[in-house]
Amino acid sequence: EGLIGFFVNTLVLRTEVDGELRVRELLQRVREVCLGAYAHQEVPFEMLVEQLQPERDLSYTPLFQVMLVLQNAPQQSVEWAGVQMRALELESGTAKYDLTLGLAESERGLVGTLEYNRDLYDRESMERLVGHYQQVLSEFIEKLEQRVWEVRLLSAAEEAHVLRQGNEKRVDYEVGSSLAELFERQVEQRPAATALLWEERQVSYEELNRRANQLGHYLRRLGVGPESLVALVMERSVEMVTAVLGVLKAGGAYLPVDPAYPTERVQFMLEDAGATVVLTAGVEYEAGKARVVRLDQEWQEIAAEPETNPESRTTADNLAYVIYTSGSTGRPKGMMITHRNVLRLFASSEQHFQFNADDVWSLFHSYAFDFSVWELWGALLYGGKLLLVKYWESRTPEAFLEQVREAGVTVLNQTPSAFRQLQQAEAEAGGASGLKLRVVIFGGEALELSSLKPWVERHGADVPQLVNMYGITETTVHVTYRRLQASEIEGGSGKVIGEPLADLVLYVLDERMQVLPA
């Protein structure tokens, strides 16, 4: 007798989701939003767009990117004699929106389809999304009085899988008893090899060990032993490395203090840490009640101590150093790091880098920044050379580049911002002639892949290898590894955080420390 048509208008809904609301309250809020929208549903979507004039972009639709279609109108059955009919699902091959969830009532309950933009999502992610949606709906039904933030995306089975999956891959490493002990093994194997490069001076492993032993014996006479904290207030120099080794050989732990720090910060650190001894060199410093040892002025007395290795009193679980955070989120906090933490860092990284005695490292960063721990021990635990970079050279890309060339640095560690300046200086100097780099390791800041395009255009990403590592002071320098590929750098996008080191497990948590899904 005739055709019946109906017009479908797109209705834009916006709901503010507050984690402190109870589920019942959120559902009431959604109901009010929907009823308010239905009251004005005759307003054409096109008119809404015309009136609001949103910023237009060909990559996404204006005002909303996710659509829900609920088919709950009664399905009238039509019967024609001798004709069988069935519904067909039509595949357009094109996603109209980022996500479209279509639901329809049936005898089996709600059935649905999910259409998604493959430029944004993959099938595995969407399958997880459907599972999380069902999980949330189940929790809404069962726990109307719980807070919204308490609603879990993960089912118990999926959470168990996430936790188990990380631990199944983890490897434990046997480590030596202390950093000083492993350094002494290198001294035994290559006493005449160069350990430090400083200005025109080359310091052998034997000489560095001898001076550190004398300081270690001297500090023991001052009462330094396991769990004792000795503060260091000095510039980068041979004396600084000697001081670090001397403190560890005495059995203590070192607290690096940058001489450029404000007096108030220095005083807070010393009092908060309870350091009883302060080592300085080339810096005039008064430390109140703490015993101040001026290495440059008192070395003659220190040199009277034995040159032999002090008998070890240190275990892997004793403190090695304490580095204070910046305090940007409140008061600075002293991170207490053991020998085991540092030794396992290198044990778990060896498979990626194969550090060895032919490597030349640069101590580019302040010893009060934990990137320096990686630079210092990466050289000295493997018998390599360590180029000590003066502060002004670290702030002058042209001077540092020349140092890297002259010393034949093979392992370069840089924050992304410092490397941007270095690659600019390298480009202005006409390229990488004379560089012997085999790996450049980034850390300390978020890395933008696009910033490496100029370097890759000149050198590629194979020699030297470009590696991004992520970590914080609390977790001992680095916790993840990611070797970067030229193709992703040229494309400007990629996953730069990478995989956890072999002895670690990585979890993503929300602000309330709940495990999140993949």
Side-chain angles (χ1 to χ4, degrees):
E1 291 90 27
L3 295 175
I4 298 176
F6 62 93
F7 175 70
V8 177
N9 185 33
T10 301
L11 200 58
V12 183
L13 306 173
R14 179 173 63 185
T15 304
E16 180 184 356
V17 180
D18 183 346
E20 292 300 324
L21 288 176
R22 299 194 183 279
V23 169
R24 184 188 301 277
E25 295 168 334
L26 175 63
L27 295 178
Q28 289 170 344
R29 178 177 289 186
V30 171
R31 180 176 184 273
E32 292 167 4
V33 168
C34 290
L35 291 175
Y38 297 152
H40 302 280
Q41 62 184 327
E42 292 82 7
V43 178
F45 176 69
E46 291 78 7
M47 181 181 292
L48 191 65
V49 174
E50 183 180 336
Q51 291 293 320
L52 293 177
Q53 290 291 310
E55 183 178 342
R56 305 302 291 266
D57 191 308
L58 292 176
S59 65
Y60 58 87
T61 57
L63 302 187
F64 74 95
Q65 290 80 47
V66 177
M67 174 170 274
L68 171 67
V69 181
L70 175 62
Q71 299 285 7
N72 60 350
Q75 298 295 314
Q76 296 181 350
S77 60
V78 179
E79 296 183 4
W80 290 338
V83 177
Q84 290 184 335
M85 291 185 293
R86 60 185 175 89
L88 295 179
E89 290 187 10
L90 299 179
E91 290 283 351
S92 67
T94 302
K96 303 175 187 65
Y97 306 100
D98 293 357
L99 288 175
T100 301
L101 177 62
L103 296 174
E105 293 182 354
S106 74
E107 295 178 355
R108 295 180 293 139
L110 285 174
V111 295
T113 59
L114 183 65
E115 179 182 277
Y116 59 91
N117 184 340
R118 286 191 299 183
D119 290 338
L120 301 176
Y121 308 109
D122 58 30
R123 184 179 182 87
E124 184 181 358
S125 298
M126 293 298 94
E127 288 174 348
R128 285 199 301 266
L129 178 66
V130 171
H132 298 152
Y133 184 46
Q134 292 174 310
Q135 170 71 15
V136 168
L137 292 179
S138 298
E139 291 225 352
F140 273 19
I141 292 169
E142 297 169 4
K143 303 173 183 177
L144 281 172
E145 299 306 321
Q146 72 174 336
R147 303 286 183 187
V148 172
W149 69 262
E150 296 176 295
V151 175
R152 305 302 303 275
L153 290 177
L154 289 166
S155 66
E158 188 179 0
E159 181 170 338
H161 172 72
V162 169
L163 297 176
R164 183 176 63 251
Q165 191 176 40
N167 280 295
E168 285 173 348
K169 300 177 182 178
R170 203 177 73 81
V171 177
D172 277 321
Y173 292 97
E174 291 293 329
V175 299
S177 62
S178 73
L179 291 162
E181 181 185 84
L182 265 65
F183 169 73
E184 288 164 3
R185 291 183 192 173
Q186 295 299 328
V187 175
E188 293 174 5
Q189 294 173 17
R190 46 185 60 82
T194 299
L196 305 179
L197 299 171
W198 172 244
E199 298 179 322
E200 301 301 319
R201 182 179 171 190
Q202 296 188 18
V203 180
S204 69
Y205 272 82
E206 183 178 46
E207 180 184 354
L208 179 59
N209 189 56
R210 173 172 51 79
R211 293 172 64 86
N213 286 342
Q214 291 170 326
L215 179 58
H217 286 293
Y218 185 80
L219 291 174
R220 280 196 177 175
R221 288 205 296 109
L222 297 182
V224 174
E227 305 305 300
S228 299
L229 267 181
V230 178
L232 313 184
V233 186
M234 57 187 72
E235 301 286 354
R236 274 167 269 186
S237 60
V238 173
E239 287 74 23
M240 187 207 80
V241 180
T242 302
V244 169
L245 282 165
V247 170
L248 297 180
K249 282 173 173 285
Y254 70 97
L255 168 65
V257 178
D258 194 317
Y261 282 165
T263 304
E264 296 78 11
R265 177 179 169 90
V266 174
Q267 290 175 343
F268 166 77
M269 289 169 60
L270 295 180
E271 292 173 6
D272 186 60
T276 56
V277 177
V278 177
L279 303 182
T280 69
V283 177
E284 289 300 323
Y285 186 76
E286 298 297 332
K289 298 178 181 179
R291 167 76 160 87
V292 178
V293 178
R294 295 175 173 81
L295 300 185
D296 49 346
Q297 298 177 21
E298 301 179 43
W299 190 259
Q300 189 171 353
E301 181 181 351
I302 297 170
E305 296 291 337
E307 298 180 357
T308 55
N309 295 333
E311 182 183 351
S312 177
R313 300 177 181 175
T314 309
T315 70
D317 293 315
N318 283 128
L319 274 184
Y321 65 84
V322 172
I323 285 183
Y324 274 74
T325 60
S326 64
S328 58
T329 58
R331 287 176 53 175
K333 301 175 184 65
M335 297 299 113
M336 305 166 67
I337 306 299
T338 64
H339 291 261
R340 184 185 304 280
N341 287 338
V342 181
L343 294 173
R344 58 130 296 271
L345 167 65
F346 285 99
S348 62
S349 304
E350 285 176 355
Q351 60 179 309
H352 299 302
F353 298 108
Q354 291 81 49
F355 298 135
N356 57 71
D358 293 326
D359 278 325
V360 180
W361 294 63
S362 62
L363 186 62
F364 175 86
H365 299 92
S366 165
Y367 73 154
F369 175 33
D370 72 335
F371 217 160
S372 67
V373 173
W374 175 255
E375 295 173 306
L376 175 67
W377 299 109
L380 299 184
L381 293 183
Y382 294 90
K385 295 178 184 176
L386 183 63
L387 168 67
L388 305 180
V389 182
K390 294 180 180 179
Y391 175 80
W392 73 266
E393 289 173 333
S394 70
R395 294 296 181 269
T396 312
E398 297 78 11
F400 177 57
L401 178 64
E402 188 58 31
Q403 284 273 70
V404 169
R405 279 182 173 142
E406 290 183 0
V409 171
T410 62
V411 181
L412 180 63
N413 300 276
Q414 294 274 273
T415 59
S417 56
F419 190 71
R420 280 196 297 271
Q421 298 178 27
L422 186 68
Q423 64 176 332
Q424 182 178 347
E426 187 257 359
E428 292 172 355
S433 176
L435 289 180
K436 296 182 179 178
L437 296 173
R438 71 176 184 88
V439 61
V440 179
I441 301 168
F442 302 105
E445 297 170 357
L447 174 66
E448 292 183 13
L449 286 176
S450 59
S451 69
L452 301 177
K453 283 184 180 179
W455 178 274
V456 170
E457 287 170 359
R458 293 195 299 275
H459 314 300
D462 294 328
V463 182
Q465 295 178 14
L466 303 178
V467 172
N468 190 55
M469 300 189 79
Y470 169 81
I472 54 178
T473 308
E474 292 87 333
T475 54
T476 315
V477 194
H478 301 308
V479 295
T480 67
Y481 169 92
R482 176 74 161 88
R483 182 173 175 182
L484 306 173
Q485 305 299 321
S487 58
E488 61 189 353
I489 293 171
E490 290 164 352
S493 63
K495 301 173 182 178
V496 297
I497 294 295
E499 297 290 328
L501 296 178
D503 65 331
L504 300 177
V505 180
L506 222 59
Y507 299 114
V508 181
L509 311 178
D510 66 15
E511 64 273 17
R512 291 181 172 86
M513 306 300 284
Q514 296 183 122
V515 177
L516 293 176

